[in-house]
mmCIF file of all heavy atoms in Angstrom:
data_model
loop_
_atom_site.group_PDB
_atom_site.id
_atom_site.type_symbol
_atom_site.label_atom_id
_atom_site.label_comp_id
_atom_site.label_asym_id
_atom_site.label_seq_id
_atom_site.Cartn_x
_atom_site.Cartn_y
_atom_site.Cartn_z
ATOM 1 N N PRO T 124 -132.182 114.948 119.094
ATOM 2 C CA PRO T 124 -133.522 115.028 119.214
ATOM 3 C C PRO T 124 -134.032 114.879 120.528
ATOM 4 O O PRO T 124 -133.290 114.365 121.475
ATOM 5 C CB PRO T 124 -133.897 113.682 118.419
ATOM 6 C CG PRO T 124 -132.666 112.833 118.330
ATOM 7 C CD PRO T 124 -131.537 113.805 118.527
ATOM 8 N N GLU T 125 -135.255 115.212 120.794
ATOM 9 C CA GLU T 125 -135.913 115.173 122.199
ATOM 10 C C GLU T 125 -135.864 113.632 122.571
ATOM 11 O O GLU T 125 -136.024 112.779 121.870
ATOM 12 C CB GLU T 125 -137.288 115.567 122.225
ATOM 13 C CG GLU T 125 -137.392 117.115 122.169
ATOM 14 C CD GLU T 125 -136.564 117.791 123.338
ATOM 15 O OE1 GLU T 125 -136.878 117.484 124.414
ATOM 16 O OE2 GLU T 125 -135.757 118.778 122.973
ATOM 17 N N HIS T 126 -135.643 113.474 124.006
ATOM 18 C CA HIS T 126 -135.840 112.026 124.508
ATOM 19 C C HIS T 126 -137.041 111.281 123.984
ATOM 20 O O HIS T 126 -137.042 110.199 123.640
ATOM 21 C CB HIS T 126 -135.627 112.156 126.011
ATOM 22 C CG HIS T 126 -134.380 112.646 126.477
ATOM 23 N ND1 HIS T 126 -133.266 112.388 125.890
ATOM 24 C CD2 HIS T 126 -134.111 113.384 127.691
ATOM 25 C CE1 HIS T 126 -132.310 113.078 126.521
ATOM 26 N NE2 HIS T 126 -132.810 113.563 127.687
ATOM 27 N N ASP T 127 -138.142 112.077 124.126
ATOM 28 C CA ASP T 127 -139.303 111.425 123.795
ATOM 29 C C ASP T 127 -139.343 110.841 122.390
ATOM 30 O O ASP T 127 -139.980 109.749 122.207
ATOM 31 C CB ASP T 127 -140.531 112.552 123.923
ATOM 32 C CG ASP T 127 -140.794 112.788 125.375
ATOM 33 O OD1 ASP T 127 -139.813 112.715 126.151
ATOM 34 O OD2 ASP T 127 -141.990 113.215 125.805
ATOM 35 N N ASP T 128 -138.846 111.456 121.388
ATOM 36 C CA ASP T 128 -138.730 110.934 120.035
ATOM 37 C C ASP T 128 -138.002 109.682 120.041
ATOM 38 O O ASP T 128 -138.472 108.714 119.490
ATOM 39 C CB ASP T 128 -138.062 111.858 119.097
ATOM 40 C CG ASP T 128 -138.735 113.243 119.026
ATOM 41 O OD1 ASP T 128 -139.951 113.378 119.573
ATOM 42 O OD2 ASP T 128 -138.172 114.231 118.598
ATOM 43 N N LEU T 129 -136.927 109.632 120.728
ATOM 44 C CA LEU T 129 -136.223 108.419 120.860
ATOM 45 C C LEU T 129 -137.050 107.196 121.358
ATOM 46 O O LEU T 129 -137.092 106.109 120.924
ATOM 47 C CB LEU T 129 -134.910 108.576 121.837
ATOM 48 C CG LEU T 129 -133.750 109.341 121.086
ATOM 49 C CD1 LEU T 129 -132.708 109.538 122.145
ATOM 50 C CD2 LEU T 129 -133.327 108.577 119.938
ATOM 51 N N ILE T 130 -137.695 107.552 122.458
ATOM 52 C CA ILE T 130 -138.528 106.528 123.122
ATOM 53 C C ILE T 130 -139.553 105.979 122.276
ATOM 54 O O ILE T 130 -139.762 104.753 122.118
ATOM 55 C CB ILE T 130 -139.130 106.962 124.534
ATOM 56 C CG1 ILE T 130 -137.950 107.597 125.434
ATOM 57 C CG2 ILE T 130 -139.885 105.938 125.129
ATOM 58 C CD1 ILE T 130 -136.849 106.591 125.635
ATOM 59 N N GLU T 131 -140.301 106.938 121.548
ATOM 60 C CA GLU T 131 -141.407 106.508 120.663
ATOM 61 C C GLU T 131 -140.816 105.525 119.524
ATOM 62 O O GLU T 131 -141.372 104.535 119.291
ATOM 63 C CB GLU T 131 -142.012 107.745 120.022
ATOM 64 C CG GLU T 131 -142.767 108.732 120.915
ATOM 65 C CD GLU T 131 -143.739 107.969 121.917
ATOM 66 O OE1 GLU T 131 -144.231 107.007 121.528
ATOM 67 O OE2 GLU T 131 -143.640 108.328 123.073
ATOM 68 N N THR T 132 -139.668 105.975 119.043
ATOM 69 C CA THR T 132 -139.072 105.132 118.026
ATOM 70 C C THR T 132 -138.855 103.843 118.591
ATOM 71 O O THR T 132 -139.032 102.776 117.965
ATOM 72 C CB THR T 132 -137.802 105.843 117.397
ATOM 73 O OG1 THR T 132 -137.878 107.161 117.578
ATOM 74 C CG2 THR T 132 -137.514 105.444 116.011
ATOM 75 N N ALA T 133 -138.267 103.876 119.785
ATOM 76 C CA ALA T 133 -137.868 102.525 120.507
ATOM 77 C C ALA T 133 -138.991 101.643 120.501
ATOM 78 O O ALA T 133 -138.942 100.461 120.146
ATOM 79 C CB ALA T 133 -137.246 102.931 121.804
ATOM 80 N N HIS T 134 -140.138 102.137 120.934
ATOM 81 C CA HIS T 134 -141.242 101.198 121.162
ATOM 82 C C HIS T 134 -141.756 100.806 119.924
ATOM 83 O O HIS T 134 -142.217 99.582 119.675
ATOM 84 C CB HIS T 134 -142.398 101.980 121.927
ATOM 85 C CG HIS T 134 -142.235 101.911 123.354
ATOM 86 N ND1 HIS T 134 -142.120 100.804 124.050
ATOM 87 C CD2 HIS T 134 -142.186 102.891 124.323
ATOM 88 C CE1 HIS T 134 -141.983 100.969 125.354
ATOM 89 N NE2 HIS T 134 -141.963 102.196 125.583
ATOM 90 N N GLY T 135 -141.724 101.670 118.798
ATOM 91 C CA GLY T 135 -142.170 101.230 117.535
ATOM 92 C C GLY T 135 -141.241 100.179 116.848
ATOM 93 O O GLY T 135 -141.806 99.216 116.127
ATOM 94 N N GLU T 136 -140.032 100.197 117.249
ATOM 95 C CA GLU T 136 -139.122 99.259 116.307
ATOM 96 C C GLU T 136 -138.534 98.282 117.153
ATOM 97 O O GLU T 136 -137.668 97.388 116.682
ATOM 98 C CB GLU T 136 -138.004 100.164 115.717
ATOM 99 C CG GLU T 136 -138.594 101.068 114.608
ATOM 100 C CD GLU T 136 -137.453 101.819 114.033
ATOM 101 O OE1 GLU T 136 -136.339 101.199 113.702
ATOM 102 O OE2 GLU T 136 -137.677 102.979 113.577
ATOM 103 N N VAL T 137 -138.994 98.121 118.488
ATOM 104 C CA VAL T 137 -138.414 96.912 119.256
ATOM 105 C C VAL T 137 -138.564 95.651 118.563
ATOM 106 O O VAL T 137 -137.672 94.709 118.664
ATOM 107 C CB VAL T 137 -139.010 97.031 120.695
ATOM 108 C CG1 VAL T 137 -138.986 95.625 121.310
ATOM 109 C CG2 VAL T 137 -138.230 98.066 121.482
ATOM 110 N N GLN T 138 -139.649 95.479 117.895
ATOM 111 C CA GLN T 138 -139.985 94.247 117.176
ATOM 112 C C GLN T 138 -138.843 93.831 116.418
ATOM 113 O O GLN T 138 -138.476 92.708 116.314
ATOM 114 C CB GLN T 138 -141.309 94.418 116.307
ATOM 115 C CG GLN T 138 -142.068 93.205 116.163
ATOM 116 C CD GLN T 138 -142.544 92.567 117.403
ATOM 117 O OE1 GLN T 138 -142.889 93.366 118.277
ATOM 118 N NE2 GLN T 138 -142.424 91.298 117.537
ATOM 119 N N MET T 139 -138.316 94.701 115.657
ATOM 120 C CA MET T 139 -137.184 94.418 114.696
ATOM 121 C C MET T 139 -135.932 93.854 115.506
ATOM 122 O O MET T 139 -135.321 92.832 115.124
ATOM 123 C CB MET T 139 -136.659 95.652 114.049
ATOM 124 C CG MET T 139 -135.525 95.528 113.147
ATOM 125 S SD MET T 139 -134.784 97.232 112.823
ATOM 126 C CE MET T 139 -133.891 97.454 114.338
ATOM 127 N N ILE T 140 -135.720 94.452 116.712
ATOM 128 C CA ILE T 140 -134.589 93.918 117.548
ATOM 129 C C ILE T 140 -134.859 92.542 118.037
ATOM 130 O O ILE T 140 -134.011 91.707 118.192
ATOM 131 C CB ILE T 140 -134.085 94.884 118.642
ATOM 132 C CG1 ILE T 140 -133.776 96.212 117.859
ATOM 133 C CG2 ILE T 140 -133.184 94.409 119.529
ATOM 134 C CD1 ILE T 140 -133.473 97.293 118.917
ATOM 135 N N GLU T 141 -136.117 92.392 118.462
ATOM 136 C CA GLU T 141 -136.594 91.149 119.003
ATOM 137 C C GLU T 141 -136.308 89.968 117.998
ATOM 138 O O GLU T 141 -136.055 88.818 118.373
ATOM 139 C CB GLU T 141 -138.008 91.066 119.416
ATOM 140 C CG GLU T 141 -138.238 91.567 120.848
ATOM 141 C CD GLU T 141 -139.650 91.337 121.222
ATOM 142 O OE1 GLU T 141 -139.895 90.250 121.737
ATOM 143 O OE2 GLU T 141 -140.387 92.179 121.069
ATOM 144 N N ALA T 142 -136.389 90.347 116.766
ATOM 145 C CA ALA T 142 -136.101 89.425 115.689
ATOM 146 C C ALA T 142 -134.647 88.962 115.581
ATOM 147 O O ALA T 142 -134.280 88.151 114.881
ATOM 148 C CB ALA T 142 -136.672 89.965 114.279
ATOM 149 N N LEU T 143 -133.742 89.686 116.331
ATOM 150 C CA LEU T 143 -132.337 89.304 116.330
ATOM 151 C C LEU T 143 -132.215 87.845 116.565
ATOM 152 O O LEU T 143 -132.833 87.235 117.379
ATOM 153 C CB LEU T 143 -131.728 89.992 117.606
ATOM 154 C CG LEU T 143 -130.918 91.332 117.455
ATOM 155 C CD1 LEU T 143 -130.309 91.704 118.691
ATOM 156 C CD2 LEU T 143 -129.913 91.126 116.282
ATOM 157 N N ASP T 144 -131.387 87.296 115.658
ATOM 158 C CA ASP T 144 -131.113 85.849 115.711
ATOM 159 C C ASP T 144 -130.734 85.484 117.200
ATOM 160 O O ASP T 144 -129.758 86.029 117.657
ATOM 161 C CB ASP T 144 -130.073 85.514 114.722
ATOM 162 C CG ASP T 144 -129.958 84.068 114.425
ATOM 163 O OD1 ASP T 144 -130.629 83.310 115.049
ATOM 164 O OD2 ASP T 144 -129.245 83.799 113.452
ATOM 165 N N GLN T 145 -131.250 84.420 117.676
ATOM 166 C CA GLN T 145 -130.776 83.892 118.999
ATOM 167 C C GLN T 145 -129.382 83.499 118.935
ATOM 168 O O GLN T 145 -128.448 83.735 119.852
ATOM 169 C CB GLN T 145 -131.713 82.814 119.423
ATOM 170 C CG GLN T 145 -131.468 82.261 120.947
ATOM 171 C CD GLN T 145 -131.850 83.305 121.969
ATOM 172 O OE1 GLN T 145 -132.499 84.295 121.734
ATOM 173 N NE2 GLN T 145 -131.194 83.113 123.106
ATOM 174 N N ALA T 146 -128.997 82.972 117.844
ATOM 175 C CA ALA T 146 -127.611 82.545 117.696
ATOM 176 C C ALA T 146 -126.618 83.670 117.772
ATOM 177 O O ALA T 146 -125.602 83.580 118.277
ATOM 178 C CB ALA T 146 -127.477 81.770 116.373
ATOM 179 N N GLU T 147 -127.193 84.909 117.252
ATOM 180 C CA GLU T 147 -126.220 86.025 117.238
ATOM 181 C C GLU T 147 -126.134 86.498 118.661
ATOM 182 O O GLU T 147 -124.914 86.954 119.101
ATOM 183 C CB GLU T 147 -126.914 87.080 116.381
ATOM 184 C CG GLU T 147 -125.938 88.195 116.013
ATOM 185 C CD GLU T 147 -126.507 89.056 114.929
ATOM 186 O OE1 GLU T 147 -127.740 89.351 114.899
ATOM 187 O OE2 GLU T 147 -125.790 89.496 114.132
ATOM 188 N N VAL T 148 -127.131 86.419 119.413
ATOM 189 C CA VAL T 148 -127.070 86.937 120.847
ATOM 190 C C VAL T 148 -126.086 85.979 121.561
ATOM 191 O O VAL T 148 -125.371 86.525 122.347
ATOM 192 C CB VAL T 148 -128.466 86.753 121.565
ATOM 193 C CG1 VAL T 148 -128.294 87.055 123.022
ATOM 194 C CG2 VAL T 148 -129.482 87.774 120.854
ATOM 195 N N ARG T 149 -126.102 84.718 121.341
ATOM 196 C CA ARG T 149 -125.144 83.805 121.910
ATOM 197 C C ARG T 149 -123.727 84.135 121.672
ATOM 198 O O ARG T 149 -122.765 84.242 122.482
ATOM 199 C CB ARG T 149 -125.399 82.374 121.312
ATOM 200 C CG ARG T 149 -126.336 81.578 121.964
ATOM 201 C CD ARG T 149 -126.695 80.260 121.306
ATOM 202 N NE ARG T 149 -128.092 80.077 121.687
ATOM 203 C CZ ARG T 149 -128.905 79.190 121.095
ATOM 204 N NH1 ARG T 149 -128.477 78.489 120.014
ATOM 205 N NH2 ARG T 149 -130.082 78.967 121.510
ATOM 206 N N ASP T 150 -123.433 84.323 120.430
ATOM 207 C CA ASP T 150 -122.066 84.621 119.902
ATOM 208 C C ASP T 150 -121.608 85.948 120.361
ATOM 209 O O ASP T 150 -120.488 86.210 120.767
ATOM 210 C CB ASP T 150 -121.896 84.560 118.409
ATOM 211 C CG ASP T 150 -122.058 83.063 117.942
ATOM 212 O OD1 ASP T 150 -121.604 82.090 118.730
ATOM 213 O OD2 ASP T 150 -122.492 82.748 116.853
ATOM 214 N N ASP T 151 -122.581 86.897 120.544
ATOM 215 C CA ASP T 151 -122.229 88.301 121.057
ATOM 216 C C ASP T 151 -121.719 88.223 122.415
ATOM 217 O O ASP T 151 -120.731 88.706 122.765
ATOM 218 C CB ASP T 151 -123.509 89.195 121.088
ATOM 219 C CG ASP T 151 -123.708 89.921 119.849
ATOM 220 O OD1 ASP T 151 -122.877 89.875 118.821
ATOM 221 O OD2 ASP T 151 -124.669 90.592 119.575
ATOM 222 N N VAL T 152 -122.606 87.455 123.216
ATOM 223 C CA VAL T 152 -122.161 87.403 124.644
ATOM 224 C C VAL T 152 -120.971 86.621 124.937
ATOM 225 O O VAL T 152 -120.110 87.046 125.743
ATOM 226 C CB VAL T 152 -123.434 86.837 125.512
ATOM 227 C CG1 VAL T 152 -123.003 86.680 126.991
ATOM 228 C CG2 VAL T 152 -124.684 87.681 125.531
ATOM 229 N N LEU T 153 -120.775 85.562 124.205
ATOM 230 C CA LEU T 153 -119.619 84.719 124.216
ATOM 231 C C LEU T 153 -118.398 85.620 123.923
ATOM 232 O O LEU T 153 -117.226 85.492 124.502
ATOM 233 C CB LEU T 153 -119.730 83.497 123.465
ATOM 234 C CG LEU T 153 -118.464 82.576 123.357
ATOM 235 C CD1 LEU T 153 -118.227 82.014 124.825
ATOM 236 C CD2 LEU T 153 -118.748 81.422 122.396
ATOM 237 N N ARG T 154 -118.598 86.275 122.927
ATOM 238 C CA ARG T 154 -117.453 87.176 122.382
ATOM 239 C C ARG T 154 -116.947 88.148 123.533
ATOM 240 O O ARG T 154 -115.856 88.312 123.676
ATOM 241 C CB ARG T 154 -117.859 87.817 121.054
ATOM 242 C CG ARG T 154 -116.750 88.714 120.517
ATOM 243 C CD ARG T 154 -117.176 89.351 119.229
ATOM 244 N NE ARG T 154 -116.087 90.031 118.741
ATOM 245 C CZ ARG T 154 -115.432 91.084 119.195
ATOM 246 N NH1 ARG T 154 -115.941 91.698 120.229
ATOM 247 N NH2 ARG T 154 -114.345 91.555 118.632
#
Side-chain angles (χ1 to χ4, degrees):
Chain T
E125 287 300 307
H126 296 326
D127 288 25
D128 297 347
L129 281 177
I130 304 302
E131 294 315 320
T132 332
H134 276 307
E136 292 183 38
V137 154
Q138 209 55 40
M139 177 199 77
I140 294 174
E141 273 192 86
L143 261 183
D144 195 351
Q145 185 66 18
E147 197 168 37
V148 174
R149 271 171 210 166
D150 288 330
D151 272 356
V152 174
L153 178 59
R154 183 181 187 286

